[in-house]
Amino acid sequence: MTIQHVLQKCLDDWSRISHLDFCLLNFDNSVFVSTCSRKLPAASKLQEFRESSALCVSNTSNSLFKVSDSGDTPYILVVWGSKDSMPTIGELAVCQVESLLCAYTEKSDKNAFMQNLLLDTYTEVDAFNRAKKLHIATSVKRAVFLVETKQAKDENALATIRNIFSSRTKDFITAIDDSGIIIIRELSSTESYDSLESIAFMLVDMLNTEAMTSAWVAYSRIAEDLKELSGAYKEARMALEVGKIFYSDRNVFSYNSLGIGRLIYQLPVSICEMFIDEIFKEETLDSVDEETLITIRTFFENNLNLSETSRQLYVHRNTLVYRFEKLQKKFGLDIRTFEDALTFKLAMMVVDYIKYSKR
C-alpha cells in the first residue's frame, strides 16, 4: 500500500469521526489526498502561510496547519469546519500524518540502503554507519532469496510474497531491476540450509496457488554479517542463472548445490565450442530427434538402467538398444557405458550453455 493510500484512509477516518473535511496539499499546493471537493484557499494565502513562522492559522471557514516531513514542511493540512474543537482535532490529525510520513520515509530509506548494499556501493565503514542510523542489525545471519516469475514486474507475485512475510518485520523485500524479487531474510540461530530449502519450496508453492504463477527461487549461502550480503546476492543470481540453464526440470536452486553446472558456467564460450566440435565433429546435437533426446534423458535419470527406462517410456528393451546403437553410429559414443554416458551428458549441458550465452 502506497503512502498516498495510507494517508487517504487516515483522513477518511478523521473525517468520519469528527464530521470535518480534510485536505493535504503538496509543496506546489496540488491536492495530495482529500476527503472532499471544497474550494481551496487562494494560492497567495497558502504561500504567505508557508513563509510565515506560524504553525496554524484559522478563519471562520477553515484552518491551515503545517505538516513537516523529515524536518521540511512540504505539506499543508486544510481543515474545514466551525467547531470549537477544530484546532485540537487538526493538531491531532497533523501528529498522525507526520508519524505516518516518518515511518514511510524510514521504510523507504531502509529499502534504498539494502538495494545499494546488495550492489556493493558502500565501503564497509559507510555500510555499518548507515545501518546503525537506520537501526538495522549488522551482525546477524541472513540469506538472500531471488524469486523470478515468467512475467516481469509481477505485482501479484510481489503482493503474495509481502503477505507471506508480513509478520517478519526484520526481513526485507525489494527489487533492483525487472529480473526478480529479492528477499533478504534474517535467520534465527536454529535455521539452517534445510530451512532455506523449505522456504524456497514454500515460496514456489504459494506463488503457484495464491498468485497463479510458476516461479523459480534461488538462494545464497548464509551471510554471517552485513558486509557479506552483496556477495550473497551475487550467489543467488548465479544460482538462478545456472539452474535455469542446466536444471530446467527444477524450480528451486541452491548456490551450494549447482554441481557440474557451476563449472561449465564459468568456462569461456570458446573453450565450450572447442569441446563440442571435438565430441560431435561435423554433427550437432540439434540433429537428434526429440524422441531420442527424451529417451537419453530418461536413461540418465535412471542411472543407465535399460529395464527401468523401457518400463517408464513404455517401449521394448530392444527398441532402446536400437536407438542407442543408432546414436553410437552417429556420434561414436555408446552411452550404455559410463565414460561415454558422462561425455554425452556433459556435451548436452555445454550445448545448453552455449545457446544461453548466445541469447
Side-chain angles (χ1 to χ4, degrees):
M1 187 178 290
T2 65
I3 186 60
Q4 195 165 11
H5 288 116
V6 172
L7 290 174
Q8 183 66 61
K9 184 180 183 304
C10 169
L11 293 190
D12 285 342
D13 289 341
W14 277 103
S15 180
R16 177 175 51 80
I17 294 167
S18 66
H19 303 291
L20 300 173
D21 283 321
F22 298 83
C23 180
L24 191 64
L25 301 178
N26 275 313
F27 68 95
D28 60 354
N29 296 333
S30 61
V31 175
F32 190 57
V33 292
S34 180
T35 64
C36 63
S37 56
R38 290 179 183 244
K39 185 179 179 181
L40 295 173
S44 58
K45 183 178 179 181
L46 293 173
Q47 187 59 34
E48 181 182 345
F49 175 55
R50 287 184 187 278
E51 294 173 354
S52 72
S53 59
L55 297 178
C56 171
V57 294
S58 302
N59 58 29
T60 55
S61 62
N62 61 62
S63 293
L64 304 179
F65 297 86
K66 288 180 180 175
V67 180
S68 64
D69 180 19
S70 302
D72 297 326
T73 310
Y75 301 103
I76 289 179
L77 180 67
V78 185
V79 184
W80 284 277
S82 57
K83 290 184 177 181
D84 293 338
S85 59
M86 185 178 68
T88 303
I89 292 171
E91 288 177 8
L92 289 171
V94 167
C95 288
Q96 186 169 4
V97 169
E98 287 180 343
S99 296
L100 291 170
L101 288 170
C102 181
Y104 184 80
T105 300
E106 183 176 347
K107 182 180 178 181
S108 298
D109 288 346
K110 285 183 176 181
N111 187 62
F113 168 74
M114 279 299 179
Q115 289 181 346
N116 286 316
L117 188 68
L118 295 181
L119 293 173
D120 204 17
T121 57
Y122 298 125
T123 64
E124 186 175 330
V125 173
D126 195 21
F128 276 80
N129 288 338
R130 287 173 184 265
K132 188 176 180 180
K133 288 180 181 178
L134 293 169
H135 309 290
I136 296 173
T138 58
S139 301
V140 297
K141 293 182 179 181
R142 294 181 175 93
V144 176
F145 290 81
L146 187 57
V147 182
E148 184 175 305
T149 59
K150 291 183 178 179
Q151 180 183 340
K153 291 187 177 181
D154 193 331
E155 294 298 330
N156 287 335
L158 181 59
T160 300
I161 291 172
R162 290 191 188 281
N163 186 54
I164 293 170
F165 295 101
S166 59
S167 61
R168 296 185 56 88
T169 57
K170 294 182 180 180
D171 292 347
F172 293 91
I173 299 168
T174 186
I176 292 175
D177 49 34
D178 294 343
S179 62
I181 301 163
I182 303 164
I183 303 163
I184 304 170
R185 182 179 176 89
E186 184 171 315
L187 306 177
S188 66
S189 58
T190 59
E191 287 183 297
S192 62
Y193 284 106
D194 289 339
S195 305
L196 301 187
E197 184 179 41
S198 298
I199 293 167
F201 277 109
M202 177 271 293
L203 284 168
V204 170
D205 292 341
M206 291 295 287
L207 288 170
N208 188 35
T209 55
E210 299 292 332
M212 304 297 288
T213 184
S214 57
W216 299 274
V217 179
Y219 59 94
S220 68
R221 292 182 295 181
I222 294 174
E224 296 293 331
D225 55 34
L226 207 64
K227 69 177 184 291
E228 294 182 6
L229 278 181
S230 62
Y233 171 61
K234 292 170 186 171
E235 290 174 355
R237 285 201 67 84
M238 179 179 174
L240 185 64
E241 288 192 20
V242 172
K244 288 173 67 178
I245 297 168
F246 300 112
Y247 311 111
S248 57
D249 58 326
R250 304 182 199 171
N251 289 87
V252 170
F253 314 112
S254 165
Y255 181 79
N256 277 343
S257 306
L258 297 180
I260 298 172
R262 185 199 309 275
L263 297 176
I264 297 173
Y265 180 77
Q266 298 183 71
L267 291 173
V269 175
S270 58
I271 298 296
C272 293
E273 290 175 336
M274 286 176 62
F275 173 74
I276 294 301
D277 290 341
E278 180 184 333
I279 300 302
F280 294 148
K281 298 179 174 62
E282 285 78 22
E283 297 289 345
T284 64
L285 190 62
D286 290 335
S287 63
V288 181
D289 61 89
E290 187 63 27
E291 184 180 46
T292 303
L293 285 174
I294 292 172
T295 302
I296 294 167
R297 291 192 179 101
T298 308
F299 186 55
F300 288 160
E301 288 169 4
N302 287 292
N303 297 315
L304 312 187
N305 188 315
L306 273 172
S307 299
E308 183 61 24
T309 304
S310 64
R311 187 188 69 80
Q312 287 189 15
L313 295 176
Y314 302 102
V315 296
H316 196 274
R317 179 188 175 97
N318 290 342
T319 303
L320 292 183
V321 172
Y322 169 74
R323 290 177 184 174
F324 293 155
E325 287 177 347
K326 189 177 176 182
L327 193 72
Q328 184 178 3
K329 289 179 182 177
K330 189 178 186 70
F331 297 118
L333 296 171
D334 183 1
I335 65 171
R336 291 170 293 181
T337 66
F338 173 76
E339 187 173 345
D340 284 359
L342 178 60
T343 301
F344 200 88
K345 174 66 174 177
L346 283 171
M348 291 175 71
M349 295 179 74
V350 169
V351 167
D352 287 340
Y353 174 59
I354 292 172
K355 288 180 178 178
Y356 169 82
S357 298
K358 289 183 176 178
R359 285 201 303 270

